[in-house]
Amino acid sequence: MKLNILFFIGFLVVQTAQAQESEPGISTSRSSRQKINTQSFYAPETVNVPQITFQMGDGQSSTVQTDEIVVKACIKTSKPLTRLNLFVNDALQQASRELKVQSDGAQKECDQALSQTVQLREGDNRLKLVAQNEGGITSESFLIRYDKPAAIVAEKRLALVIGNADYPSSNRLTNPANDANDMAEALKNVGFEVMIHTNMDVRSMRRAIDEFGNKLKDYQVGLFYYAGHGVQSRGRNFLVPIDAKPESENEIEYDCFLADRILTKMEDARTRTNIVVLDACRDNPFERSWSRGGSENTGLTTMDAPVGSVIAYATSPGRTAADGNGRNGLYTAALLKALQVPDQPLTQLFQRVRAEVLKQSNNKQLPWESTSLTGDFYFRRK
């Protein structure tokens, strides 16, 4: 009897459960488990192929003037690279293990950074970078042109530097020997071969200038620098040796050196660029005592500069140049300073000197140039 009752109760439970499953809106834990989609747990991860960006030029092409460059590229990849090859003009440049690839912490969007030195041929060169990960393979190309620079012909430069200071008695000057020595060193530092002399008599000056003129024929740039006494006589400029003792104005041309002869020597040498720098008082000693920085009513008229030449005076016509209170004369000190500045054309250099001298002399000394340059000249390039 008890067994029949238990069987009947079990039958009722089964019938009730089946009725609930058939009714809409009613679910059981069993039916829910049956409806779970387990496929999403086993779907394969999508891996994108690497992305390559060249970090040179505009990202696609560039022009260089050297046959060796460093190839730089950014590689974005979510998975480790399984292949990385660099081709230059379709030739494999480096195997994967030899390429310099590293994580780039400086650029968050760049997972790997390539930096590799390669050789180029003259003309167009095609670079190709191939990268592969488990998502696939990709490649990017870069066109780089190597234009061989024109051959640079060495510009030979020759300078004659003279500083006269040991004049008799009150005519003695303080700075010219220092000016000449410092100028010689400065010119050597910018590529000049320098002939330097100090405290020269008239015969030695003539020999030095003749030697300079003969030697200059094998050079492209000539420079003459003079610091010391200078005089004007009848519209002509004369450089004064330390032994000059003209007793009359008519004897100046015999005891002193005519500055125009320097220009004649340069013209005969056919140098491309000629520079004459005169840091002299340019006064007539018969009208005043021999001392740079004296009367303001004396001085020379300018000389005509031959084609391709510039003549620089420490002061303007009719004025005198100060000898200076330091190691160098006022004008030469400014010139030495300007020579240290790279990449300035010659005309700009003298403008810089003029501004400095005006400033230091409270506008009393105005440097002057006479020029017929036909092109730019640079003392110093970077």
Side-chain angles (χ1 to χ4, degrees), residues 256-276:
C256 302
F257 191 88
L258 182 63
D260 287 335
R261 287 187 61 188
I262 299 293
L263 299 176
T264 300
K265 294 289 185 183
M266 290 177 161
E267 282 188 286
D268 290 344
R270 299 181 181 276
T271 42
R272 184 177 66 249
T273 303
N274 295 306
I275 305 164
V276 176

Side-chain angles (χ1 to χ4, degrees), residues 22-248:
S22 63
E23 293 181 10
I26 301 177
S27 64
T28 65
S29 60
R30 179 174 175 271
S31 64
S32 297
R33 286 195 299 270
Q34 288 176 341
K35 294 181 180 181
I36 293 176
N37 183 4
T38 59
Q39 288 185 340
S40 61
F41 290 105
Y42 302 101
E45 179 185 358
T46 301
V47 179
N48 294 323
V49 298
Q51 296 180 4
I52 301 172
T53 304
F54 282 97
Q55 297 178 316
M56 306 183 300
D58 61 3
Q60 297 179 333
S61 64
S62 179
T63 300
V64 297
Q65 290 189 317
T66 177
D67 63 350
E68 184 177 272
I69 65 162
V70 177
V71 177
K72 293 187 176 182
C74 172
I75 306 162
K76 188 175 181 180
T77 177
S78 59
K79 293 293 183 178
L81 296 175
T82 57
R83 176 188 175 189
L84 184 64
N85 296 127
L86 176 62
F87 296 85
V88 179
N89 300 317
D90 296 324
L92 179 62
Q93 188 72 13
Q94 295 285 354
S96 301
R97 69 184 63 181
E98 296 171 318
L99 288 173
K100 299 176 182 177
V101 183
Q102 58 186 9
S103 298
D104 192 349
Q107 300 186 44
K108 295 181 180 180
E109 73 278 7
C110 186
D111 300 308
Q112 302 288 328
L114 169 71
S115 178
Q116 187 68 38
T117 301
V118 300
Q119 293 290 131
L120 303 177
R121 67 190 181 193
E122 190 171 356
D124 290 336
N125 296 264
R126 183 173 178 266
L127 309 181
K128 183 179 179 181
L129 189 60
V130 179
Q132 184 177 8
N133 61 13
E134 63 183 65
I137 187 170
T138 188
S139 66
E140 286 292 336
S141 296
F142 187 90
L143 182 64
I144 186 164
R145 181 173 180 81
Y146 165 43
D147 288 335
K148 191 174 182 179
I152 299 176
V153 179
E155 183 183 63
K156 296 181 66 177
R157 302 175 173 187
L158 180 66
L160 173 60
V161 176
I162 296 176
N164 286 341
D166 290 341
Y167 295 99
S169 62
S170 61
N171 297 321
R172 182 182 179 89
L173 297 173
T174 304
N175 304 118
N178 293 336
D179 292 341
N181 287 320
D182 293 348
M183 185 59 62
E185 287 301 314
L187 292 174
K188 289 177 184 177
N189 290 336
V190 292
F192 278 84
E193 179 182 337
V194 180
M195 305 164 61
I196 179 173
H197 302 276
T198 57
N199 300 319
M200 304 187 79
D201 59 31
V202 65
R203 293 182 64 184
S204 60
M205 281 187 70
R206 287 172 180 163
R207 283 197 303 268
I209 291 171
D210 287 343
E211 180 185 358
F212 171 69
N214 292 331
K215 193 172 183 178
L216 191 58
K217 295 175 183 178
D218 296 326
Y219 293 77
Q220 289 77 50
V221 179
L223 184 147
F224 175 76
Y225 170 88
Y226 174 79
H229 278 304
V231 299
Q232 175 192 174
S233 176
R234 297 169 183 170
R236 295 185 298 173
N237 297 339
F238 291 88
L239 310 180
V240 182
I242 61 171
D243 64 341
K245 298 177 181 178
E247 296 182 0
S248 68

